Amino acid sequence: MGFWTLFEVATMPILQVLLISVLGAFMATNYCNLLTADARRSLNKIVFIVFTPSLMFASLAKTVTFEDIVSWWFMPVNIGIVFLIGGILGWILVKLLKPEPHLEGLVIATCSAGNLGNLLLIVVPAICNEDGSPFRYSGTCSTTGLSYASFSMALGGFFIWTYTYHLIRVSGITLRAMEVAAIYTDSKIPNKDLESNEETSLLKGEDHDQMDVAVQSMKSIDADTESQAIVPQLSSVYEKPGTFWDRVASILHQIVEELLAPPTIAAIIGFVFGATPWLKGLIIGSSAPLRVIQDSIKLLGDGTIPCITLILGGNLTQGLRSSRIKPLVLLGIICVRYMILPVIGIGVIKVAGDLGLLPTDPLFKYVLMVQFTLPPAMNIGTMTQLFDVGQEECSVIFLWTYLVAALALTVWSTVYMYILS
């Protein structure tokens, strides 16, 4: 496959994301006023609870079997390595460049969590269909590539909706605590007004009113059940640590809560249906008695990527005006994602191949390498919207990382195919 052909294949999905983002940005302007802040927040909740779980279940139940799960055992290890190394590099970046405290989780998340599903679902089958592709060894390349991409998306979903979800959740708690601290500090400033009397705000107790407002803001982002479930109360931020077993129980409880996120539950159910032939036969296939269920779920899942991308563009309109992300931090994220991680990925796959840990299929190895090279997961934007923290900064990070990805993903794809051919 020639360089320019590969360049076209690799840039098309990135350009699609950018074009839809521009549409979302236009819809969020005052001229259209369709994607307001409240509308984006509500749409994000729908994506979180309905669209993303539907996409994950539909893909897994149809394309992944029990034999695939066994033979592709190294893929979860590979994704774990990506998250581990990316997280460590993100942590180093935070310590060196010191972004604002409530943005630390966002920086680490964008360094570690890649777009392990959406782009692969488009890029891998497209590369299989190109003339001269080193992976066109049989007529099943596209089908096999789709299965790899679906498996990658599901595994990535587990990591994203546990580890990354926790990072953004903690960032939301940090921001709420900073807001409370700022209000508390302001309320303690002595009254220097020479004309003040017994009717001034200090005697009226306005500082207590401000603290009450802050406490209420810590109890929930919104009044609905979803927000109350994911944002802790103020007392949980400042409570003193208990015994060792109390802390262990608290950590386990938090892990269980994050594993019960709708996308994670959907991925687990999708694995069960995909790995159990009689369950799969109920909903998958033209003769399946309950195939209407799978068709309906797939229809819902198809709305995931467009909605996430539109919201990304809508957030961008505010992010370009009010983002406080440091340029050096942005440059550091780009370097981690497109310079350091790909080199590490080549080393990991070469060592794993030499040790006989990988299948002989070169397409499988290619997918593992690309997992080290992808731009940040778009679900991070959904999480920042859910927890009302860093939406603008996330949009700016996405803008530049996806712009750079158009070139970086093409170059590294060329290198990977040269190594594997």
Side-chain angles (χ1 to χ4, degrees):
M1 181 184 295
F3 176 83
W4 291 112
T5 302
L6 176 61
F7 182 86
E8 180 181 356
V9 171
T11 54
M12 283 303 159
I14 306 293
L15 291 177
Q16 289 174 4
V17 170
L18 294 176
L19 288 173
I20 298 175
S21 296
V22 170
L23 176 60
F26 177 71
M27 293 170 64
T29 59
N30 293 332
Y31 182 79
C32 286
N33 203 30
L34 292 176
L35 278 179
T36 62
D38 290 338
R40 296 196 300 271
R41 189 176 296 110
S42 298
L43 185 56
N44 254 299
K45 291 176 183 177
I46 296 174
V47 170
F48 173 69
I49 298 173
V50 180
F51 289 167
T52 300
S54 298
L55 178 65
M56 298 187 72
F57 175 86
S59 298
L60 284 172
K62 182 177 181 179
T63 60
V64 177
T65 65
F66 180 77
E67 291 77 13
D68 292 335
I69 296 174
V70 173
S71 61
W72 303 342
W73 68 270
F74 190 80
M75 187 176 288
V77 175
N78 191 70
I79 295 176
I81 293 172
V82 174
F83 273 78
L84 175 62
I85 297 176
I88 293 173
L89 293 173
W91 179 81
I92 294 173
L93 195 63
V94 163
K95 295 303 178 183
L96 291 177
L97 301 181
K98 300 185 183 303
E100 295 188 31
H102 69 283
L103 297 179
E104 291 180 358
L106 175 62
V107 173
I108 297 174
T110 51
C111 287
S112 58
N115 193 334
L116 294 168
N118 302 342
L119 289 180
L120 288 178
L121 286 172
I122 301 173
V123 171
V124 175
I127 288 178
C128 284
N129 294 328
E130 289 293 332
D131 293 333
S133 170
F135 309 124
R136 294 192 68 178
Y137 47 85
S138 70
T140 62
C141 178
S142 295
T143 304
T144 305
L146 182 61
S147 297
Y148 292 157
S150 299
F151 194 50
S152 173
M153 179 178 66
L155 294 172
F158 277 113
F159 286 91
I160 291 169
W161 290 104
T162 51
Y163 171 72
T164 307
Y165 182 84
H166 174 73
L167 286 174
I168 304 301
R169 178 182 179 276
V170 170
S171 294
I173 295 174
T174 302
L175 180 59
R176 302 288 93 76
M178 290 169 58
E179 291 172 349
V180 170
I183 294 175
Y184 183 78
T185 302
D186 291 342
S187 68
K188 292 300 181 181
I189 297 176
N191 186 9
K192 297 181 181 180
D193 187 358
L194 298 178
E195 298 180 0
S196 63
N197 51 39
E198 66 275 7
E199 295 296 324
T200 57
S201 62
L202 285 178
L203 294 181
K204 283 183 176 181
E206 290 186 5
D207 55 333
H208 297 292
D209 294 338
Q210 289 177 315
M211 285 301 296
D212 290 341
V213 172
V215 171
Q216 291 299 321
S217 69
M218 284 295 295
K219 287 183 178 179
S220 65
I221 291 176
D222 296 304
D224 57 12
T225 305
E226 166 64 16
S227 296
Q228 291 174 1
I230 60 179
V231 182
Q233 296 182 353
L234 178 62
S235 59
S236 66
V237 179
Y238 293 106
E239 64 183 6
K240 296 180 181 179
T243 64
F244 170 77
W245 291 112
D246 289 338
R247 292 196 294 271
V248 170
S250 177
I251 292 172
L252 291 176
H253 177 72
Q254 182 60 46
I255 292 174
V256 171
E257 280 189 350
E258 290 167 358
L259 283 174
L260 292 178
T264 309
I265 294 175
I268 295 173
I269 298 174
F271 273 126
V272 172
F273 270 77
T276 309
W278 71 269
L279 285 176
K280 191 171 187 175
L282 288 176
I283 62 173
I284 304 298
S286 58
S287 60
L290 301 178
R291 60 184 181 278
V292 66
I293 296 178
Q294 169 70 1
D295 294 340
S296 300
I297 293 175
K298 183 180 182 301
L299 186 63
L300 287 171
D302 291 341
T304 305
I305 299 174
C307 286
I308 290 177
T309 313
L310 285 173
I311 294 167
L312 171 65
N315 289 337
L316 185 61
T317 58
Q318 184 178 357
L320 290 177
R321 296 192 300 266
S322 59
S323 172
R324 295 183 297 274
I325 193 76
K326 296 179 181 178
L328 281 179
V329 173
L330 182 59
L331 181 61
I333 294 171
I334 292 174
C335 289
V336 167
R337 291 232 62 99
Y338 302 126
M339 296 179 66
I340 302 176
L341 280 177
V343 174
I344 295 175
I346 292 175
V348 169
I349 303 308
K350 279 191 172 183
V351 171
D354 292 340
L355 294 176
L357 303 178
L358 304 178
T360 57
D361 185 1
L363 181 60
F364 184 79
K365 298 177 183 178
Y366 170 80
V367 171
L368 296 183
M369 289 183 177
V370 171
Q371 288 172 345
F372 283 88
T373 320
L374 297 165
M378 288 193 291
N379 282 328
I380 297 175
T382 300
M383 296 174 192
T384 59
Q385 196 84 30
L386 284 171
F387 293 105
D388 195 21
V389 57
Q391 303 102 300
E392 298 86 5
E393 290 80 7
C394 181
S395 295
V396 173
I397 290 172
F398 274 38
L399 171 66
W400 291 106
T401 53
Y402 273 79
L403 281 173
V404 176
L407 177 61
L409 189 56
T410 300
V411 172
W412 283 112
S413 292
T414 306
V415 173
Y416 297 153
M417 281 190 271
Y418 176 79
I419 293 173
L420 296 172
S421 59

